[in-house]
């Protein structure tokens, strides 16, 4: 785990935060280089697909001109949902690092485990990295959102 | 189940077939109208995300200008994979009809069941419709592909 990469994913989460999107960021690294970076844009794009991981995978495929992201690692500030975990598997990503657990929707150990429990030919490795900044920005966002809704 | 809608999804699968893509097609229906249609374009787009269901969801969100596809049904010629089943849940689709089972990658009953086994707030209904045309086009495609590879 390279902490600098998680910091870059966090920078992306901060961009989402400023746009009033749920603050989640992701980056994809291959051969020591960041090949894609993205943040959640579901509300702005009004697309249920616009999670940070999906946008990052789209960009990485475009960059490499290949649907196979073999050897690439994905850093994301929050545990992926089923769609994103499935997309990570489809893209043949090597390893996923996530900075906070998602007890409601996380499908890499919290409510399910797409990587371990679904028998696919490509097996994605993963590591939960307890990064307080990743969870703090989410807590802060939802606290402020509740405050706004009460006004 | 409206058989005409599965025929429309099959028309999409045929478009993929002609492009040498694995022949899978999908359509999304809301209030009796087809609001999106798509076919697999993974090779052409070189994107691991370019499954028929994902492209159809993207188009439907754009059409409705909303990430919520409540009340919409999705017809797809092949059982969705984990990514697509997750995306269908994220989009709040009402019901999925699929015309063939995917014993290797299908996550709506074959190798896993994303809709039944993952405890999410939105529960997607589903129905397997045994449509021989949906499985026939796939069998034909892979048979021809093997033939080409042998030449």
């Amino acid at each position: 785990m390279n902490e600098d990469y998680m910091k870059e994913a966090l920078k992306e989460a901060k961009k989402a935060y400023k746009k009033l999107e749920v603050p989640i960021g992701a980056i994809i690294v291959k051969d020591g280089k960041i090949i894609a970076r993205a943040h959640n844009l579901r509300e702005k794009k009004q697309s249920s697909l616009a999670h940070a991981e999906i946008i990052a995978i789209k960009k990485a495929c475009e960059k490499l001109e290949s649907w196979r992201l073999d050897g690439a690692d994905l850093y994301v500030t929050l545990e992926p949902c089923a769609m994103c975990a499935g997309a990570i598997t489809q893209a043949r990503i090597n390893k996923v690092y996530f900075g906070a657990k998602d007890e409601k929707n996380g499908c890499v150990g919290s409510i399910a485990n797409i990587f371990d429990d679904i028998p696919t030919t490509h097996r994605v490795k993963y590591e939960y990295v307890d990064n307080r900044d990743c969870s703090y920005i989410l807590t802060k966002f939802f606290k402020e959102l509740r405050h706004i809704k009460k006004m």
Side-chain angles (χ1 to χ4, degrees), chain A:
Chain A
M1 221 294 286
N2 186 322
E3 280 185 22
D4 289 342
Y5 290 142
M6 192 57 88
K7 280 181 190 163
E8 292 300 319
L10 199 56
K11 277 187 196 169
E12 287 297 314
K14 285 174 186 167
K15 290 182 193 168
Y17 180 86
K18 285 181 184 167
K19 293 174 184 171
L20 298 180
E21 297 276 354
V22 179
I24 303 160
I27 63 155
I28 297 176
V29 178
K30 190 170 176 175
D31 300 329
K33 281 183 188 166
I34 297 174
I35 59 165
R37 44 193 316 144
H39 52 276
N40 173 41
L41 284 171
R42 187 174 69 168
E43 298 300 330
K44 192 161 184 278
K45 285 192 176 279
Q46 281 301 309
S47 170
S48 54
L49 304 168
H51 286 198
E53 301 95 311
I54 299 288
I55 302 170
I57 289 170
K58 184 176 182 287
K59 286 183 178 178
C61 289
E62 284 167 3
K63 177 97 173 177
L64 301 183
E65 295 178 349
S66 172
W67 65 262
R68 294 167 192 266
L69 305 180
D70 307 80
D73 294 335
L74 185 143
Y75 288 73
V76 59
T77 56
L78 186 67
E79 182 181 351
C81 71
M83 169 178 74
C84 292
I88 287 162
T89 306
Q90 286 292 332
R92 314 273 173 94
I93 280 178
N94 173 57
K95 187 166 179 176
V96 172
Y97 298 91
F98 57 99
K101 287 188 182 178
D102 183 351
E103 288 179 10
K104 278 189 184 170
N105 300 298
C107 284
V108 188
S110 288
I111 64 165
N113 196 323
I114 299 286
F115 297 149
D116 282 351
D117 298 343
I118 299 183
T120 46
T121 45
H122 177 72
R123 181 82 171 257
V124 179
K125 289 175 273 187
Y126 62 90
E127 188 178 327
Y128 162 54
V129 187
D130 187 2
N131 183 307
R132 289 189 184 182
D133 293 334
C134 292
S135 45
Y136 177 72
I137 194 171
L138 282 159
T139 311
K140 191 174 171 228
F141 176 81
F142 286 112
K143 197 173 169 182
E144 287 172 358
L145 201 68
R146 279 195 299 273
H147 185 71
I148 290 165
K149 282 182 179 170
K150 274 182 192 167
M151 281 171 78

